[in-house]
Amino acid sequence: MPKEGRGEAPRRRRTGMCRNSLVANLEADGDSASRVPAAGDGSGHLRELQERLSDRAQAAALRHRADRKSFRNEITPGNFTFRMREFEQAELEYFVPDDGNDMNVYEAWVTARKRCYSTCARSGCASTSSRRRSGRTTPKAGTDVEYLFPWGWGELESIAHRGTYDLDAHMKLSGKDLAFFDEATKTRYTPILIESSAGMDRTTLTMLVDAYETETIEDAESGKSSTRTVLRFHPKIAPVQVGVFPLARNKPELVERARSIERALRPYARTTYDEGNVGQLYRRQDEIGTPFCAMVDYDTLADGTVTVRERDSMRQERVAADGLRAYLVDRL
C-alpha cells in the first residue's frame, strides 16, 4: 500500500522476461513457446565491443564467445540430435582491424577450426568455401566445416567473413558510434567481423559416431570369438582417460595400492577406479572410450610396476608406478 500523501499504487502488470514464438511445421498448428531473450539477441557482442572501444588502452581486436541455447523451427527434425528445434550453440565473434589483413585472419581461423575437428575425429572433416560473395547483405566469404555421417555430409560449424555489415546496421539502428580510432596510425575505421558458429550437440554426436566401432576378437588360447564394442575417442576428448583397478577386489593391499595410484593421477588426467573381473573391466572401459587402463597385481607389491593396457591395440606392458604419470601424460 502506498504511504499517505504519495498517491495511488500503480496497477499490477505482468513483466515479460521471454520472447514468445510458435513451434510447429505450420503456423496454424503451432504451439506457443517462450525462449530466453539471449537466444534471440545477437547484439551482446556489439554492446561489449562498444564498452571495450571506450577504453583507449584496448586494441581494436576483440573476441567475444558465447555458449547458449538456441531455437530453430525445423520442418523435419531428425537424425537423432543432429537436427533439433532446441539445441546448444557456441558462437565466436572476432573483430579485427581494417588493415587489409582481414582475409588472412579469416583463412587462418578456418584452418585452425578444421584442424581442431580433424584432430579429434578419426575420419577427419572436410570444408567447402563455395559461398564467397561480395555485397553488403551477404558475407564476404564463408566456409562450412562438414563431416561425413552415415546419412551423408552434415554441417558442424559455419565460419563467415561478415565485413562491417553487422556493425554498420547496429550503428544505423541504435545511433551508437562503434568506429575505432587508431592512435598509432591516426585513422578511424569500423572493425571487421569474423564470425564462427558451431552446434555443440552436433559436435558431440559427431565424435560419438566417429568413435563407435564393433570388432570380433578371437581368443588365442581357447579359439573362441567374441564381439568387442569400443569408442575410439581421441585421448583429449575421452570422458575418462585412465582407469585403475586391482587384480582382486578382496585383497586389501591391492585395493589400497590401486586407490592410491588413482588418486595420484587425478590432477593430471580424468580417472576412474573400478573393481571386478579383469576381462569385464577392460571391456567396460572400452565401451566408454577409456584410452588406458592400469591394473595393480601382486607384482606391483613386489617390484612397483603396474600393467598398462592400451585401448585400441589392447597391447599390455609393465610400467613403473612411479613413472606412470609421465608415461600417461606423454600419450594423452
Side-chain angles (χ1 to χ4, degrees), residues 252-300:
E253 62 274 22
L254 296 180
V255 171
E256 181 180 351
R257 188 63 187 277
R259 288 189 177 275
S260 174
I261 291 175
E262 189 270 333
R263 285 194 298 268
L265 292 174
R266 288 179 188 176
Y268 310 98
R270 295 183 291 274
T271 65
T272 186
Y273 172 85
D274 206 350
E275 299 175 351
N277 177 275
V278 174
Q280 293 177 355
L281 289 173
Y282 282 148
R283 294 298 176 86
R284 187 183 303 170
Q285 296 301 319
D286 289 342
E287 290 181 358
I288 65 173
T290 305
F292 295 97
C293 291
M295 184 183 67
V296 174
D297 53 23
Y298 294 104
D299 289 337
T300 306

Side-chain angles (χ1 to χ4, degrees), residues 32-50:
S32 178
S34 298
R35 59 182 181 177
V36 293
D41 181 9
S43 60
H45 56 284
L46 303 181
R47 289 197 299 269
E48 180 175 337
L49 178 67
Q50 182 179 351

Side-chain angles (χ1 to χ4, degrees), residues 80-273:
F80 193 40
T81 60
F82 181 79
R83 192 176 299 280
M84 300 186 296
R85 288 175 175 149
E86 179 179 332
F87 54 94
E88 296 292 332
Q89 186 175 9
E91 293 182 320
L92 177 69
E93 314 289 345
Y94 187 18
F95 296 94
V96 298
D98 187 7
D99 57 2
N101 195 46
D102 50 288
M103 283 304 299
N104 292 333
V105 174
Y106 165 78
E107 295 291 353
W109 184 244
V110 170
T111 301
R113 297 304 299 147
K114 183 181 177 183
R115 182 172 61 248
C116 175
Y117 286 107
S118 298
T119 299
C120 296
R122 296 180 303 145
S123 301
C125 299
S127 63
T128 59
S129 303
S130 58
R131 300 199 323 274
R132 296 180 180 272
R133 307 188 185 111
S134 60
R136 294 188 70 251
T137 59
T138 56
K140 183 178 179 181
T143 297
D144 289 341
V145 181
E146 300 181 330
Y147 178 82
L148 183 58
F149 291 93
W151 57 83
W153 288 98
E155 177 188 338
L156 298 182
E157 181 170 335
S158 179
I159 306 168
H161 184 305
R162 300 284 298 177
T164 62
Y165 173 75
D166 296 271
L167 286 181
D168 290 340
H170 186 76
M171 288 190 290
K172 180 180 179 180
L173 295 175
S174 67
K176 302 293 185 180
D177 184 12
L178 296 178
F180 178 77
F181 181 74
D182 192 333
E183 292 285 353
T185 61
K186 304 300 181 182
T187 57
R188 187 178 184 84
Y189 57 82
T190 302
I192 293 173
L193 172 61
I194 310 296
E195 181 184 59
S196 183
S197 178
M200 300 173 70
D201 303 275
R202 288 188 178 186
T203 301
T204 302
L205 177 63
T206 300
M207 298 308 160
L208 286 170
V209 169
D210 185 81
Y212 180 81
E213 189 174 296
T214 58
E215 60 181 2
T216 301
I217 305 297
E218 186 171 334
D219 189 289
E221 297 181 359
S222 64
K224 295 182 179 179
S225 60
S226 60
T227 300
R228 182 173 82 126
T229 301
V230 57
L231 286 175
R232 301 188 188 277
F233 285 130
H234 189 283
K236 288 184 178 180
I237 65 172
V240 178
Q241 296 174 311
V242 184
V244 182
F245 39 84
L247 178 64
R249 73 173 92 186
N250 59 348
K251 299 296 181 180
E253 62 274 22
L254 296 180
V255 171
E256 181 180 351
R257 188 63 187 277
R259 288 189 177 275
S260 174
I261 291 175
E262 189 270 333
R263 285 194 298 268
L265 292 174
R266 288 179 188 176
Y268 310 98
R270 295 183 291 274
T271 65
T272 186
Y273 172 85

